[in-house]
Amino acid sequence: CPSERNCCSNSRSFPPITVPTHCSGRNEMAAAAPTPPNETAIPEETTTAPKVAAAPTTPKVAIPKVKTCLWFNNNKAEEAAQLYTSLIPGSQITLVNKAPGGTAFLVEFILGGTPYQALNGGRSAFSEAASIQVMTEDQAETDKLWNSLIANGGSEGKCAWLTDRFGVTWQIVPKALPILLTSTDREAASRVRNAMMGMSKIDIAGLQAAHRGSEAKSSETQEKT
C-alpha cells in the first residue's frame, strides 16, 4: 500500500494520496484476528514493586544539657538513687549502667524534675561545700524528708542542713522560710533569722512566732508538751 505521508523529494507539491480502505483496515483486522487453536495467549506481565516495611523509628530521648554527677564510695550509687527517688515526688531512675561484675557503675535519675548521675567512683568524699536543696510545702513534708535522710547513719546540721548516710549534704527548706526572711517588716525578718540560727530542722511554727514577735511555742515544743 502506498505510504500515507506526502512525498517531498522536490519543491513541487503533490496532492495527498488517499489510502485504500482495504489497506487502512489491515491493522484492525490483525488486531481482531482470533488466536490459533495451538497457540496460547500470553497475558501481559504486570510488574508490582514489593512492599518494603518501614524502618523502625528510634524514640527521641531528651538529653539534659546540664546535670549534676554525685561520686559515691563503696558501690552505693544505686542504693542512694533508690532512696532519693522514693522520697521526692516527680522522681525516677532512668538508667542503670552495670559493670561486667553486675554492680551498677553509673545510675541516671531524675530528682523532682532535676537530672542527676550517681557514679561508683571510689576514693572520694562529699563535703558541705555542695548540697541538694529541697523546698517543702509544709511541716509534715519537712519532717518526713528530714527523718528519712538522717536515718541509718545520717546527721543533723544547723539551719536546715543535714548529711545523709552516704555523705551527701542536703538543705530541707520549707517555703515559709524565704517568705518570712524577706518580709517588708525588717525587724520581724531579723527575728526570724535569729530563730532560724538556733534550729537544726526548720520549725515553721517557731519562725511564724518569731515573725509575730510573740512567745508562741514552736510545733516541736508543743509536741513535747
Side-chain angles (χ1 to χ4, degrees), residues 173-201:
V173 182
K175 288 184 176 180
L177 177 58
I179 293 174
L180 294 172
L181 284 174
T182 56
S183 170
T184 54
D185 184 342
R186 299 316 300 161
E187 290 186 1
S190 180
R191 292 193 299 269
V192 170
R193 182 180 181 279
N194 291 335
M196 177 196 69
M197 296 299 290
M199 297 177 181
S200 290
K201 179 181 66 177

Side-chain angles (χ1 to χ4, degrees), residues 31-224:
T35 304
N38 59 346
E39 296 183 10
T40 303
I42 302 175
E44 294 183 1
E45 294 184 0
T46 57
T47 303
T48 304
K51 295 182 179 180
V52 180
T57 57
T58 303
K60 295 182 178 180
V61 178
I63 300 177
K65 193 175 186 66
V66 178
K67 66 179 68 173
T68 301
C69 181
L70 304 175
W71 189 317
F72 289 86
N73 295 324
N74 303 318
N75 295 322
K76 295 295 185 180
E78 187 172 12
E79 181 183 343
Q82 289 172 348
L83 173 64
Y84 300 162
T85 55
S86 70
L87 296 176
I88 299 175
S91 303
Q92 63 174 334
I93 293 175
T94 57
L95 173 70
V96 179
N97 189 342
K98 295 195 174 184
T103 303
F105 170 68
L106 180 69
V107 181
E108 302 260 0
F109 62 101
I110 303 295
L111 197 59
T114 302
Y116 285 86
Q117 289 180 332
L119 175 68
N120 279 325
R123 302 184 305 280
S124 180
F126 296 107
S127 77
E128 293 181 344
S131 60
I132 301 174
Q133 185 181 100
V134 183
M135 300 294 290
T136 55
E137 296 292 334
D138 50 30
Q139 193 65 51
E141 186 181 9
T142 302
D143 294 347
K144 177 184 176 182
L145 275 177
W146 186 274
N147 296 333
S148 298
L149 289 170
I150 64 172
N152 302 316
S155 60
E156 295 185 343
K158 292 292 185 181
C159 309
W161 294 66
L162 66 84
T163 301
D164 67 24
R165 65 177 183 264
F166 305 106
V168 177
T169 302
W170 297 74
Q171 299 177 61
I172 309 303
V173 182
K175 288 184 176 180
L177 177 58
I179 293 174
L180 294 172
L181 284 174
T182 56
S183 170
T184 54
D185 184 342
R186 299 316 300 161
E187 290 186 1
S190 180
R191 292 193 299 269
V192 170
R193 182 180 181 279
N194 291 335
M196 177 196 69
M197 296 299 290
M199 297 177 181
S200 290
K201 179 181 66 177
I202 297 301
D203 175 40
I204 299 174
L207 297 180
Q208 292 171 336
H211 187 271
R212 292 192 300 268
S214 65
E215 297 297 328
K217 294 180 179 180
S218 70
S219 62
E220 287 189 345
T221 304
Q222 291 172 353
E223 289 175 1
K224 291 179 182 178

